[in-house]
Amino acid sequence: KFLEKLGISSEVHVLRTVMDGIPPFKDNQLLIKDLRFDKVKVRIYQPKAPTTGRRRGVLYFHGGVGLFGSIRAYERTCRFFSKKSNSVFVSVGYRLAPEYPYPTQFEDCLAATVHFMRIAEDYGVDPTRIIICGDSSGGTLAAAVAQAMTNRKDLPKLRAQVLIYPFLQAASFDLPSYEQNKGVPVLLKERTLSLGLKYLNKGPAVIDAVLKGAHIPRDLELKCKKWLNPDNIPEDFKPKDYQQRKEKEFSEELSRLARPILDTIFSPLLAEDTVIAQLPETFILSCEFDVLRDDVLLYKKRLEDHGIKVTWCHLEQGFHGIIFLANYGKITSFRTAKKGLKMIVDFLKSI
């Protein structure tokens, strides 16, 4: 922000540069190709080890709020999961905002998924064993793509979705995890919303009102009360002094301006029951010290209420971004991250 104020470099450019980091050395265990699926950049990771039969295929959508992150930034992550699970991984380089406005990011991820499902056999992948996966906002995209695929009759159904500390709703910012972790790096409470609004090309002027819930329209209010009810969150996750804000001043103008943040592409937790009931088997990971923790808990309950099989991993010492950092070496590999990595790999191998 300091560099941006000085006119030296934009905040988004700095974050993109930092996330891209230094690429790893060549990997002799994988065949890696850069291609395009329906004009979308992808990088495919194919294990060289022999296998009997077809492998599972995984599409990976990287995090970064739709503003930063890249195939290069997630090179280590995709290499790790591809090798450990013996899966063909497709890292999707969807186009970023603000150069490519929302919902281009979702459209690219959906297009890449459909394309891969049609040609999966060309890469030794069983088209009935395709999984979509993403972390943070990539988890949002994975959840939204999974919902969009529920009504496709021309393709096999997705086998599973893997959601790693995903952002799932922009209707309530006073859940226990938002109060408990509002000042915990790397994803501060107000930072979450300010980056989200930048992704949607919305100004920061509405932040305070959205944080107070003044953007929820009347037709959605009852559903939000049901789906985002703190009573659906286990008591162990609530501070003893937690109290949900009762009164919310509705603003018609704000509701109109903020409507995109309640769209199910941006807030998959707000999808209708008929959609949720058709979703595939799910792995979902939450971190104790993450403002998005309760999004995960609420989505988990909605899925389970509709009979969807859910494997849940909760990292009691975890924080937002811990899985991304885990593959950058011993300095950034926290002990609790190993539990998350192992459970993700075990889930993939079970499919």
Side-chain angles (χ1 to χ4, degrees), residues 104-341:
T104 300
Q105 298 68 36
F106 164 77
E107 292 167 351
D108 282 358
C109 290
L110 180 61
T113 300
V114 170
H115 186 93
F116 183 57
M117 295 187 80
R118 286 175 174 160
I119 64 165
E121 294 180 354
D122 295 347
Y123 295 94
V125 169
D126 181 346
T128 66
R129 295 173 69 204
I130 292 179
I131 304 158
I132 54 173
C133 178
D135 69 298
S136 192
S137 61
T140 315
L141 291 166
V145 168
Q147 292 180 4
M149 295 293 290
T150 57
N151 291 321
R152 297 291 298 237
K153 305 300 182 184
D154 56 328
L155 295 167
K157 291 187 176 296
L158 288 170
R159 179 61 181 82
Q161 59 176 342
V162 175
L163 311 178
I164 303 168
Y165 37 72
F167 174 93
L168 293 170
Q169 59 84 28
S172 176
F173 292 92
D174 64 347
L175 295 170
S177 62
Y178 271 105
E179 294 303 308
Q180 177 187 341
N181 300 312
K182 59 185 176 183
V184 177
V186 295
L187 200 60
L188 310 181
K189 179 176 179 177
E190 291 195 18
R191 183 84 171 138
T192 304
L193 183 54
S194 65
L195 286 173
L197 290 172
K198 184 173 287 190
Y199 169 42
L200 295 174
N201 197 28
K202 299 290 183 182
V206 299
I207 288 180
D208 287 342
V210 171
L211 287 173
K212 294 177 182 177
H215 63 303
I216 307 298
R218 301 302 185 196
D219 61 334
L220 191 58
E221 190 173 10
L222 289 177
K223 291 178 180 178
C224 286
K225 284 182 178 179
K226 177 183 176 182
W227 297 335
L228 303 179
N229 192 330
D231 290 344
N232 294 331
I233 298 170
E235 291 300 319
D236 291 347
F237 292 96
K238 300 177 191 174
K240 292 182 180 179
D241 59 348
Y242 171 74
Q243 289 186 339
Q244 186 183 25
R245 186 170 50 245
K246 301 297 183 182
E247 299 297 326
K248 297 181 180 180
E249 296 181 7
F250 174 69
S251 165
E252 188 72 49
E253 181 181 2
L254 179 60
S255 177
R256 179 177 52 80
L257 291 172
R259 189 75 194 188
I261 75 173
L262 300 176
D263 186 274
T264 53
I265 293 175
F266 192 82
S267 296
L269 182 53
L270 304 182
E272 294 293 338
D273 289 338
T274 52
V275 175
I276 299 294
Q278 299 181 68
L279 290 172
E281 183 176 348
T282 300
F283 176 97
I284 196 162
L285 182 145
S286 58
C287 292
E288 180 66 23
F289 302 105
D290 182 6
V291 291
L292 304 182
R293 182 196 68 203
D294 293 346
D295 283 18
V296 171
L297 299 178
L298 292 169
Y299 202 49
K300 171 180 174 290
K301 186 177 188 308
R302 283 205 73 196
L303 291 166
E304 290 175 336
D305 285 349
H306 286 87
I308 308 301
K309 184 179 179 181
V310 178
T311 300
W312 175 44
C313 172
H314 181 65
L315 303 182
E316 294 181 354
Q317 301 300 320
F319 57 89
H320 195 83
I322 195 171
I323 298 299
F324 171 75
L325 291 172
N327 292 298
Y328 269 80
K330 293 182 179 179
I331 295 176
T332 60
S333 183
F334 297 87
R335 184 181 301 175
T336 192
K338 293 179 181 178
K339 173 188 174 183
L341 292 172

